[in-house]
Amino acid sequence: MTIQHKNKTFTTFLAAVFGGIGIHRFYMAGRKDLIGWLHLATLPVSALLIWTFSNSQPLFMGMLFALSILCGFLEALVIGLTPDEKWDAARNQGSGKKSESHWVLALILVLTLGVGAMSVIALMARSFDLLFTGGAYG
């Protein structure tokens, strides 16, 4: 029985764009992936916390989802930087195909690193502003 070939570039793209809700985890392992369900659960939990504690800062109440998005960026980098041979050994043993990464993967990785770094810096800056000044700067 052959298994479906898992494309590393597509998985990296899914992790970079939809990593906060775990779509890439479901693509790799299917519905049985616990980490994918944890990623997906952060969105309704964060929304419920924001709605329940409406007098608090939404950034702090939605921090679970923000961290899930940042973890998605990190997972995209890890997946994309995995060598093709190691990726095939872990994900595509019975597919009969070999992975071949091209320049598109490098572009996705560069954009993921840039957006991820800016997101971390922005999250830290806004969090420190809210913690230490009460949001006086915006």
Side-chain angles (χ1 to χ4, degrees), residues 9-132:
T9 304
F10 183 64
T11 307
T12 304
F13 174 76
L14 287 176
V17 177
F18 301 110
I21 55 175
I23 298 295
H24 64 291
R25 304 288 307 194
F26 295 124
Y27 174 72
M28 288 191 300
R31 293 182 182 173
K32 65 181 188 262
D33 188 39
L34 178 64
I35 297 174
W37 286 109
L38 289 174
H39 273 293
L40 189 60
T42 60
L43 181 60
V45 168
S46 294
L48 181 66
L49 286 172
I50 291 170
W51 181 69
T52 304
F53 301 104
S54 58
N55 56 347
S56 298
Q57 285 293 331
L59 179 67
F60 297 135
M61 296 299 112
M63 191 60 74
L64 278 175
F65 186 59
L67 290 175
S68 180
I69 291 171
L70 294 178
C71 287
F73 288 141
L74 183 61
E75 286 178 294
L77 293 173
V78 169
I79 291 167
L81 292 173
T82 303
D84 288 342
E85 296 80 23
K86 190 174 179 182
W87 173 262
D88 286 337
R91 302 283 176 200
N92 296 321
Q93 276 185 331
S95 72
K97 295 181 182 179
K98 289 187 176 181
S99 296
E100 293 182 21
S101 300
H102 297 290
W103 64 270
V104 176
L105 180 63
L107 181 64
I108 292 170
L109 289 172
V110 167
L111 291 174
T112 300
L113 183 63
V115 172
M118 286 188 294
S119 299
V120 167
I121 292 168
L123 184 65
M124 287 173 49
R126 183 62 180 156
S127 296
F128 287 149
D129 174 41
L130 290 172
L131 283 171
F132 296 123

